């Protein structure tokens, strides 16, 4: 797009002309004026402007040679002069200035850096000597777009945002339909979302594209993935190498340990009552509600996403776009005009200037939901803790009329006041509150056995997994995945650290109050010596003053029975303490322990961590003497 910038001296008239015309170069090779009229640009004109916009000032002789490579230099430069004169008569301004270096005139800007396929309507055969440049630029941009999409898909998958990852993977397939790698990513993401049928359909599309375009069949790797999906769907053991990560680890074939929660959800659903499913990250809220929605059929599943809290009506707009199009089209014009604030295809929307205007907008959304009830069994809204406040206010309004079944999920410890109020509203009368708890040792054993991997013995691994992960299913599966990729049964017997899980826990701890974080860090540094009395001494508070912070840590499932809920939380809390602060804390803990006559070996550990070498040596000698006496 070519548009005016601030005028410079000597170009006032030209720039004013550009301001008046608001010229815009489009991918179709059209030059569009501000009044909406269009001018068909010849391919060479469009390419000439694009080349200077992207490559910068260029000698006129080179431009002429690029555009007319088959004529002599004098004739080529004459052709360039004639073309520029015609372009000036057409637009009314000099778009090119400078001699011998030609450049876009001051006051002319462009947006050709946007998008990945440059001037897509232009046939390279009509580009003259610029054909090679055009093709190379398109290829470079396509490659850059593919790299961006691949990175975005990987990042979204790592963050658990499978819908966004799948959207990027589909775009990669559109960009390079013959790449089996991207087709396999689509297959795998469909399976991880719990939609094995869609994964099989993605395989069928891949096979058909390869047959039609190349006359070949899918590779062994693609066929192996298809077979793994079928085995995991059937609950059989995947045929994988030991160090590979089976799909059944990434998404177990069946839901384990949530029978009572499923039953409670079914009772609420059948009665038409709303339900709220609460639990910390990794306890299986998404698996529970999405499996339930798929089993019931006709259920819309949407979710708030990280960053939504900064975008007004982000969640509401996402929900409206998932309503059946027939329902939206059946609404009268006045309702669609209100919805245009979130659905621009319905036209220009007037701003909301009063409470009455907001009520009309809320009623329009309620009307859209009511129109969708004939085709929609209910709505699941996931991750309410990420939702923007405006959407939450709107949901409080529309979820209370009883015309639609609703299910909400959230992490209670990370939920903002507005979202907490919504959940209290929908459960106050007949709604159901379902709180997911960690899996027991028996349920962990069942989870391990359900993935169908011979090297994994559920009853043997479950106790260690419970201690390591506190019964969190996601943390348990991530730990098993790390164990398998690091050697499995042939590796060391301990369970490895899992960086991705640590990041989740760090985020949970980071959302606590400053008092709770200080208490958690003190507990992590103190280790087995931690107590309320020690924390009060080190933090300079009375034990009673720690009650609120202690209760907050238990609500967030960081503490359980006066200690860390599991090893991964302890490690994350310890890693969050900067080394200089940790050394200071170890020193203060040591001073407290001296006064309470603890085992000298434990005292020595804190002295060493504090860098207090002489006192540490004395404590170690006392520990050695006790050991000899024992």
């Amino acid at each position: 797009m070519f548009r005016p910038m601030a005028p410079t001296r000597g170009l006032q008239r030209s720039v004013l002309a550009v301001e008046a015309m608001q010229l815009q170069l489009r991918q179709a090779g059209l030059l569009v004026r501000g009044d909406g009229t269009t001018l068909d640009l010849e391919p060479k004109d469009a390419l000439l402007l694009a080349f200077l916009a992207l490559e910068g000032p260029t000698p006129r002789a080179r431009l002429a040679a690029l555009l007319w490579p088959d004529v002599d230099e004098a004739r080529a430069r004459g052709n360039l002069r004639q073309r520029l004169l015609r372009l000036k008569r057409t637009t009314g301004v000099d778009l090119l200035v400078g001699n011998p270096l030609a450049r876009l005139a001051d006051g002319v800007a462009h947006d050709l850096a946007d998008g990945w396929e440059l001037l897509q309507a232009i046939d390279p055969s009509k580009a003259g000597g610029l054909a090679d440049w055009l093709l190379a630029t398109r290829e470079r941009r396509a490659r850059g777009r593919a790299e961006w999409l691949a990175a975005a898909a990987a990042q979204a998958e790592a963050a658990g945002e499978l819908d966004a990852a799948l959207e990027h993977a589909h775009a990669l397939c559109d960009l390079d339909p013959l790449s089996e790698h991207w087709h396999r990513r689509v297959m795998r993401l469909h399976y991880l979302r719990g939609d094995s049928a869609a994964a099989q359909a993605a395989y069928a599309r891949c096979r058909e594209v390869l047959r039609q375009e190349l006359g070949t069949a899918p590779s062994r790797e693609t066929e192996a993935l298809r077979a793994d999906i079928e085995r995991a769907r059937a609950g059989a053991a995947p045929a994988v190498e030991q160090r590979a990560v089976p799909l059944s680890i990434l998404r177990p074939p069946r839901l384990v340990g949530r029978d009572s929660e499923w039953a409670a959800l079914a009772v609420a659903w059948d009665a038409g009552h709303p339900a709220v499913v609460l639990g910390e990250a990794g306890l299986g809220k998404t698996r529970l509600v999405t499996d339930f929605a798929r089993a019931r059929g006709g259920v819309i599943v949407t979710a708030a996403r990280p960053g939504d809290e900064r975008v007004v009506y982000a969640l509401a707009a996402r929900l409206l776009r998932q309503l059946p199009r027939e329902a939206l089209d059946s609404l009268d014009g006045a309702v669609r005009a209100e919805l245009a604030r979130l659905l621009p295809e319905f036209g220009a929307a007037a701003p909301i200037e009063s409470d009455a205007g907001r009520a009309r907008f809320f009623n329009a959304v309620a009307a859209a939901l009511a129109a969708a009830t004939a085709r929609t069994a209910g709505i699941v809204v996931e991750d309410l803790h990420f939702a923007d406040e405006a959407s939450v206010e709107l949901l409080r309004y529309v979820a209370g009329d009883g015309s639609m079944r609703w299910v909400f999920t959230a992490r209670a410890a990370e939920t903002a006041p507005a979202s907490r109020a919504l959940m209290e509203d929908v459960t106050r009368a007949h709604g159901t509150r379902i709180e997911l708890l960690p899996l027991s040792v028996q349920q962990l054993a069942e989870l391990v056995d359900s993935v169908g991997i011979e090297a994994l013995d559920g009853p043997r691994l479950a106790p260690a997994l419970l201690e390591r992960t506190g019964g969190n299913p996601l943390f348990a599966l991530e730990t098993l995945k790390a164990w398998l990729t690091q050697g499995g049964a042939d590796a060391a017997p301990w369970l490895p650290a899992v960086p991705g899980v640590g990041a989740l826990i760090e985020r949970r701890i980071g959302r606590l109050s400053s008092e709770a974080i200080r208490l958690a860090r003190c507990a992590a540094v103190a280790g087995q010596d931690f107590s309320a009395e020690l924390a009060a001494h080190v933090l300079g508070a009375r034990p009673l003053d720690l009650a609120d912070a202690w209760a907050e840590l238990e609500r967030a499932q960081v503490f359980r029975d006066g200690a860390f809920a599991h090893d991964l939380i302890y490690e994350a809390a310890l890693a969050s303490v900067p080394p200089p602060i940790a050394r200071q804390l170890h020193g203060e803990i040591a001073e407290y322990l001296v006064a309470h006559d603890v085992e000298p070996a434990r005292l020595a550990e804190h002295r060493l961590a504090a860098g207090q070498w002489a006192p540490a040596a004395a404590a170690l000698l006392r520990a050695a003497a006790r050991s000899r006496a024992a």
Side-chain angles (χ1 to χ4, degrees):
M1 182 182 74
F2 291 86
R3 58 181 181 273
M5 302 291 282
T8 57
R9 187 165 39 188
L11 290 169
Q12 187 72 27
R13 293 182 60 189
S14 293
V15 171
L16 288 176
V18 175
E19 288 177 345
M21 299 178 71
Q22 285 288 308
L23 299 178
Q24 182 184 26
L25 177 67
R26 292 186 177 172
Q27 291 283 7
L30 299 176
L31 200 63
V32 182
R33 296 186 177 91
D35 60 5
T37 59
T38 61
L39 170 70
D40 286 311
L41 285 176
E42 294 184 21
K44 287 184 178 179
D45 287 335
L47 282 167
L48 173 62
L49 298 175
F51 184 90
L52 286 174
L54 297 177
E55 302 297 334
T58 304
R60 288 180 179 251
R62 186 185 175 209
L63 289 176
L66 285 171
L67 289 168
W68 294 277
D70 299 327
V71 302
D72 59 53
E73 180 179 352
R75 185 176 174 188
R77 296 193 64 161
N79 289 344
L80 177 63
R81 285 193 297 271
Q82 292 300 318
R83 184 167 292 277
L84 293 179
L85 286 173
R86 287 199 306 272
L87 193 58
K88 179 179 180 180
R89 285 196 298 269
T90 301
T91 62
V93 295
D94 280 318
L95 294 178
L96 272 66
V97 297
N99 196 359
L101 282 180
R103 58 179 175 82
L104 292 179
D106 293 338
V108 179
H110 70 89
D111 65 359
L112 293 173
D114 299 332
W116 65 273
E117 189 170 357
L118 179 65
L119 296 176
Q120 55 192 3
I122 291 181
D123 183 349
S125 67
K126 299 180 180 179
L130 284 174
D132 291 342
W133 172 81
L134 178 62
L135 290 172
T137 303
R138 287 177 177 176
E139 182 180 355
R140 184 175 65 252
R141 290 187 173 196
R143 188 166 55 250
R145 175 173 168 79
E147 292 171 355
W148 182 90
L149 286 170
Q155 183 178 4
E157 183 178 347
E161 300 169 11
L162 297 182
D163 288 342
L166 187 59
E167 182 180 344
H168 296 318
H170 277 302
L172 284 163
C173 281
D174 292 340
L175 197 62
D176 188 0
L178 300 180
S179 170
E180 288 189 65
H181 178 79
W182 305 136
H183 285 289
R184 286 194 296 270
R185 175 166 284 186
V186 171
M187 291 166 60
R188 191 166 59 84
L189 287 168
H190 273 306
Y191 173 79
L192 294 178
R193 291 176 69 249
D195 196 344
S196 296
Q200 296 286 3
Y203 163 78
R205 284 192 297 272
C206 173
R207 182 183 59 193
E208 186 63 17
V209 167
L210 294 175
R211 184 189 67 80
Q212 289 186 355
E213 298 295 330
L214 301 177
T216 61
S219 66
R220 283 183 296 179
E221 188 175 358
T222 302
E223 290 290 355
L225 177 60
R226 176 194 59 79
D228 276 353
I229 290 172
E230 289 182 349
R231 291 188 186 97
R233 185 181 184 185
V240 295
E241 295 180 3
Q242 183 181 24
R243 293 179 186 270
V245 181
L247 285 174
S248 59
I249 283 285
L250 299 178
R251 190 180 196 276
R254 58 188 176 87
L255 186 63
V256 172
R258 299 302 181 211
D259 293 345
S260 61
E261 291 86 350
W262 183 289
L265 197 54
V267 169
W269 188 270
D270 292 339
H273 297 157
V276 173
V277 180
L278 299 173
E280 65 175 275
L283 283 181
K285 301 183 297 297
T286 293
R287 180 68 187 266
L288 172 64
V289 299
T290 55
D291 279 12
F292 183 85
R294 189 169 293 109
R296 291 298 173 128
V299 181
I300 292 174
V301 180
T302 191
R305 298 173 183 171
D308 278 1
E309 67 274 9
R310 299 187 294 273
V311 183
V312 175
Y313 290 125
L315 174 58
R318 195 173 297 126
L319 172 58
L320 283 177
R321 291 208 172 276
Q322 292 183 250
L323 296 181
R325 188 68 196 189
E326 300 85 351
L328 296 176
D329 291 340
S330 70
L331 301 171
D332 63 40
V335 174
R336 289 201 300 272
E338 292 293 330
L339 295 180
R341 296 186 175 89
L342 300 184
L343 303 176
E345 61 268 28
F346 285 159
I352 297 177
E353 296 180 343
S354 65
D355 289 341
R358 186 172 61 167
R360 285 194 300 271
F361 170 58
F362 279 20
N363 286 330
V365 175
L369 293 171
T373 55
R375 302 172 181 85
T376 304
I379 296 175
V380 173
V381 180
E382 291 195 77
D383 294 337
L384 204 58
H385 48 279
F386 290 133
D388 63 283
E389 191 169 343
S391 291
V392 172
E393 181 187 26
L394 175 56
L395 287 173
R396 286 185 72 182
Y397 184 84
V398 299
D401 62 7
S403 62
M404 179 74 73
R405 294 182 178 91
W406 293 89
V407 176
F408 300 95
T409 76
R411 303 173 194 167
E414 301 179 23
T415 304
S419 295
R420 284 200 296 271
L422 165 62
M423 293 187 293
E424 290 169 1
D425 281 354
V426 300
T427 58
R428 183 173 291 116
H430 303 291
T432 298
R433 179 187 174 100
I434 301 170
E435 188 160 355
L436 299 189
L437 298 176
L439 299 182
S440 66
V441 66
Q442 293 82 9
Q443 291 169 333
L444 279 173
E446 184 182 355
L447 175 65
V448 173
D449 287 340
S450 75
V451 303
I453 298 176
E454 187 176 353
L456 300 179
D457 184 336
R460 182 175 65 87
L461 286 173
L465 275 177
L466 182 63
E467 181 178 353
R468 180 74 175 155
T469 68
N472 184 299
L474 172 65
F475 298 171
L477 291 168
E478 287 294 317
T479 300
L480 290 176
K481 182 173 71 174
W483 187 63
L484 285 171
T485 56
Q486 294 177 29
D490 296 330
W494 58 81
L495 296 174
V498 187
V501 167
L504 282 174
I505 296 171
E506 287 173 12
R507 185 170 65 185
R508 189 200 313 174
I509 294 175
R511 291 178 179 270
L512 300 171
S513 68
S514 59
E515 292 79 10
I517 291 175
R518 290 175 66 229
L519 181 58
R521 288 173 169 172
C522 176
V525 173
Q528 63 176 322
D529 297 309
F530 177 70
S531 66
E533 293 77 12
L534 181 147
H537 170 82
V538 171
L539 299 177
R542 297 178 302 168
L544 186 61
D545 295 333
L546 303 177
D548 289 342
W550 196 293
E552 183 180 355
L553 291 172
E554 290 188 336
R555 285 196 304 271
Q557 299 187 33
V558 173
F559 275 8
R560 188 181 299 156
D561 298 328
F564 283 104
H566 52 78
D567 292 348
L568 292 175
I569 291 182
Y570 159 72
E571 291 170 5
L574 186 61
S576 73
V577 184
I581 303 299
R583 285 194 293 272
Q584 179 70 25
L585 282 175
H586 279 295
E588 295 180 11
I589 291 168
E591 295 303 322
Y592 174 86
L593 296 178
V594 166
H596 289 75
D597 193 27
V598 300
E599 286 290 331
R602 285 160 51 192
L603 175 62
E605 290 180 7
H606 292 290
R607 293 291 195 192
L608 288 169
Q612 299 171 351
W613 312 118
L620 286 170
L621 288 172
R622 290 198 303 274
R626 287 196 180 189
S627 296
R628 185 180 298 110

